[in-house]
Amino acid sequence: MNSGIRFDAVSVAYGGNVVLDSLDLTVEPGEVMALLGPSGSGKTTALRAVAGFVRPVSGRVFLGGRDVTELPPYRRGIGMVVQQYALFPHLKVAENVAFGLKAQKAVPRAEIPGRVAEALDMTGMAAYAGRYPRELSGGQQQRVAIARALAIRPSVLLLDEPLSALDAQLRSGMLAELARLHRELPDVSMLYVTHDQVEALTLADRIAVMDKARLQDCGTPQELYRRPRNEFTASFVGNANLLPVEVRTGGGVRFGEAVLKVDTGDAAAGSAATLCVRPHLVGLGEGPNALRGTIREVQWRGSTHRLYVEVDGRPVKADVRELRETPVLGAPVTLHFASQDAVLLGAGVGSGG
């Protein structure tokens, strides 16, 4: 069966409460799609609909072009990795990895040891085949869970917050391992649920941004970061200054007392909109699109300082290279940004993936 996932107007409800609302989304064969959003946004429900653990009240789910909406989970040919690993504590690593193969009776018993060895080798856990889960670190347990999912050679791999239980250093290492697996398994489609934007930006080919049970935006990480379609995407994918502005006749916008030269597209003069500027694109000192304000807070972040500047009663964030002298709170300061680094949202404007 070919890989690939398609949601066709899929809705899920519990007791009349809609938790996934008319989701239309396609994951291409071999693609890593991240479902990114806050708790309660519908992302895990979408993944569970693919797995067969929840049944849509309307719409259809397709895997590799085949309608699997009515099929039980064990007949869908998918691998799944969850955040708590779900390993059997009384089984050794090799036995845990073999469990799915035996339960699904997917291959002759004589082939199971070879499949297990292949999956453990792929995840770097071959040397731990004889250990019990309690003898492994959290990162090693997660590798075993991934090996178990890969042992059945799925066309679709579902990952539900797989790294959330790991510390920052382990999480970074596992992200690199998942990226490597993706390169080694180019035909496997992956649906990756996370609330962590770094994971999504690092791993995904495309990101589907979810909120309040609905799909808000979808595109490549670069598209969503550089050209978000709406304020929610701008604030959830990366960090953003979202400034309320008024579109001026003849071009540009007004923010408080400042007139800013930015591309307003086809926005109507006099309309209200939101200007999105990423903090790392805001410079300190005089320059184009100057914003004059007062320093309210300074945070040292190693290689940068995060400045919080009040401009016309609104907070503006600027990430600047580490300063030799920390600015004094309450001091006047000027910020600036380039026109091409700003995106106008609202009022029927804004573009994205």
Side-chain angles (χ1 to χ4, degrees), residues 10-62:
V10 173
S11 294
V12 176
Y14 300 126
N17 181 36
V18 176
V19 294
L20 186 64
D21 191 0
S22 302
L23 177 61
D24 285 307
L25 183 68
T26 298
V27 183
E28 299 294 343
E31 181 178 37
V32 178
M33 173 74 78
L35 295 182
L36 178 67
S39 297
S41 61
K43 58 188 188 296
T44 294
T45 300
L47 180 138
R48 290 174 62 83
V50 176
F53 298 144
V54 298
R55 185 171 181 176
V57 295
S58 62
R60 314 299 293 177
V61 177
F62 295 84

Side-chain angles (χ1 to χ4, degrees), residues 53-278:
F53 298 144
V54 298
R55 185 171 181 176
V57 295
S58 62
R60 314 299 293 177
V61 177
F62 295 84
L63 293 177
R66 181 177 64 152
D67 188 341
V68 298
T69 312
E70 308 298 331
L71 289 182
Y74 67 88
R75 290 187 57 194
R76 299 194 180 195
I78 58 174
M80 188 167 182
V81 181
V82 297
Q83 56 183 307
Q84 296 301 330
Y85 320 138
L87 301 179
F88 296 105
H90 64 289
L91 298 181
K92 294 181 179 180
V93 165
E95 294 169 323
N96 266 283
V97 175
F99 182 84
L101 291 168
K102 294 178 179 178
Q104 295 188 16
K105 299 179 180 179
V107 297
R109 294 187 68 86
E111 294 184 17
I112 291 178
R115 287 280 196 97
V116 170
E118 177 186 55
L120 288 174
D121 185 63
M122 189 173 295
T123 54
M125 291 299 294
Y128 300 86
R131 295 193 185 184
Y132 288 97
R134 63 178 178 273
E135 299 173 314
L136 305 176
S137 68
Q140 290 169 335
Q141 290 181 42
Q142 190 61 292
R143 288 170 185 258
V144 175
I146 294 171
R148 182 176 57 190
L150 295 177
I152 64 171
R153 295 179 182 171
S155 59
V156 169
L157 182 61
L158 308 178
L159 301 108
D160 187 9
E161 302 274 11
L163 309 183
S164 62
L166 304 180
D167 61 40
Q169 186 172 0
L170 280 175
R171 192 157 57 242
S172 177
M174 283 302 302
L175 271 176
E177 287 299 310
L178 287 172
R180 179 185 60 80
L181 283 174
H182 176 42
R183 293 191 298 270
E184 294 183 3
L185 302 168
D187 297 326
V188 176
S189 299
M190 297 186 190
L191 190 62
Y192 188 101
V193 166
T194 182
H195 65 274
D196 189 308
Q197 57 178 281
V198 173
E199 292 181 18
L201 291 169
T202 300
L203 188 63
D205 297 309
R206 285 192 299 152
I207 300 172
V209 182
M210 306 284 295
D211 187 42
K212 297 178 181 177
R214 296 188 66 88
L215 178 66
Q216 299 294 324
D217 208 342
C218 186
T220 67
Q222 293 82 2
E223 289 170 341
L224 296 185
Y225 190 81
R226 295 171 181 166
R227 297 287 165 181
R229 284 180 177 164
N230 53 50
E231 291 186 32
F232 181 81
T233 300
S235 61
F236 205 82
V237 181
N239 207 298
N241 290 301
L242 298 174
L243 311 178
V245 297
E246 178 183 314
V247 179
R248 299 177 69 246
T249 301
V253 299
R254 179 177 294 279
F255 170 59
E257 297 300 317
V259 174
L260 308 174
K261 295 181 179 180
V262 298
D263 181 10
T264 57
D266 56 1
S271 62
T274 299
L275 193 68
C276 170
V277 188
R278 301 293 184 183

